[in-house]
């Protein structure tokens, strides 16, 4: 009889209720890893070297995928009861929700069709990431050369996005364009 009861007790699956703090921590970690993968330049800036061979992909399908990812993260976040969390944890959840809602809402406007602003743009990204790129060993240099080799595809995707913006009549105002040409000219040097 005792053996039967013990067997039955051991056969019952253990159900653990998810801890909202652990759920949130897991979601934030998953979101962070996704951000690093989707934005290799940002990964480099944050000291993560796993993506140093890569450049971002910015074709319309990539932006659509990121929007779907953000919407899915938001769905998962809304399934976590933030009211059950300590103040600091709840604030983390609220900040993540703000970021995700912002990303999903802005995606509707397809801002990727204007990848150049008066003071920044895709063409300057590589300049900024070089300063954060480690050059300690042979692998670091190989990663950098691989990234440079991938750069033309990144530029081509941004140019295609701008052409789409032109077709859609979605562009920067003419006045802003006066400051953009010097930012391109500054990239041209006699001795690289």
């Amino acid at each position: 009889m005792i053996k039967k009861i013990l067997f039955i007790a051991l056969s019952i699956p253990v159900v653990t209720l998810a801890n909202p703090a652990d759920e949130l921590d897991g979601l934030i970690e998953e979101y962070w890893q996704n951000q690093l993968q989707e934005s290799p330049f940002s990964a480099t800036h944050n000291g993560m070297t796993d993506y140093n061979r890569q450049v971002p992909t910015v074709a319309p399908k990539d932006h659509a995928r990121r929007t779907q990812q953000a919407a899915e993260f938001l769905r998962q976040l809304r399934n976590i009861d933030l009211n059950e969390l300590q103040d600091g944890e709840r604030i983390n959840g609220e900040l993540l929700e703000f970021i995700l809602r912002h990303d999903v809402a802005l995606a509707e406007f397809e801002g990727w069709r204007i990848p150049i602003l008066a003071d920044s743009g895709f063409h300057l990204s590589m300049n900024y990431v070089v300063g954060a790129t480690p050059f300690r060993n042979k692998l670091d240099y190989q990663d950098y050369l691989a990234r440079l080799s991938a750069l033309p595809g990144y530029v081509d995707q941004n140019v295609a996005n701008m052409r789409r913006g032109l077709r859609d009549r979605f562009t920067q105002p003419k006045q802003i364009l006066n400051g953009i040409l010097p930012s391109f000219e500054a990239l041209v040097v006699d001795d690289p």
Side-chain angles (χ1 to χ4, degrees):
M1 180 72 171
I2 293 177
K3 287 182 181 180
K4 280 186 178 180
I5 294 173
L6 183 58
F7 176 76
I8 292 171
L10 293 174
S11 300
I12 298 173
V14 177
V15 177
T16 57
L17 299 175
N19 175 341
D22 291 341
E23 285 183 273
L24 180 61
D25 286 346
L27 184 63
I28 289 173
E29 179 61 24
E30 185 181 347
Y31 171 77
W32 177 244
Q33 291 305 318
N34 179 264
Q35 289 297 104
L36 295 174
Q37 183 178 354
E38 290 289 346
S39 181
F41 289 167
S42 293
T44 299
H45 277 285
N46 283 287
M48 309 296 176
T49 59
D50 294 349
Y51 305 101
N52 282 1
R53 301 178 71 82
Q54 301 172 19
V55 297
T57 55
V58 294
K61 67 179 181 172
D62 299 308
H63 290 287
R65 182 186 70 252
R66 288 184 190 105
T67 301
Q68 289 173 347
Q69 290 169 338
E72 176 57 22
F73 281 122
L74 186 57
R75 186 195 67 72
Q76 291 178 44
L77 178 62
R78 288 181 172 158
N79 285 330
I80 299 171
D81 187 357
L82 298 183
N83 293 320
E84 295 291 319
L85 302 174
Q86 299 289 330
D87 287 345
E89 295 166 333
R90 189 176 62 253
I91 290 171
N92 286 342
E94 290 169 353
L95 286 172
L96 180 58
E97 182 179 13
F98 173 81
I99 291 167
L100 293 169
R101 280 189 307 116
H102 180 263
D103 289 349
V104 170
L106 284 183
E108 176 184 340
F109 300 102
E110 298 180 336
W112 47 264
R113 296 176 292 169
I114 304 178
I116 296 177
L117 304 175
D119 61 350
S120 63
F122 77 91
H123 63 296
L124 299 175
S125 299
M126 197 61 186
N127 286 358
Y128 296 127
V129 81
V130 170
T133 301
F135 294 103
R136 302 166 303 219
N137 54 48
K138 184 178 179 180
L139 179 61
D140 289 341
Y141 284 92
Q142 289 171 335
D143 286 349
Y144 183 68
L145 291 173
R147 181 172 265 173
L148 286 177
S149 294
L151 199 56
Y154 172 67
V155 172
D156 290 345
Q157 286 180 343
N158 277 287
V159 169
N161 291 345
M162 287 189 289
R163 286 190 173 127
R164 166 95 179 264
L166 288 171
R167 278 194 310 274
D168 297 346
R169 301 182 58 78
F170 185 79
T171 65
Q172 290 286 356
K174 183 178 179 181
Q175 191 62 32
I176 290 175
L177 297 176
N178 294 332
I180 291 177
L181 187 57
S183 70
F184 277 96
E185 290 169 340
L187 300 175
V188 179
V189 294
D190 292 330
D191 183 9

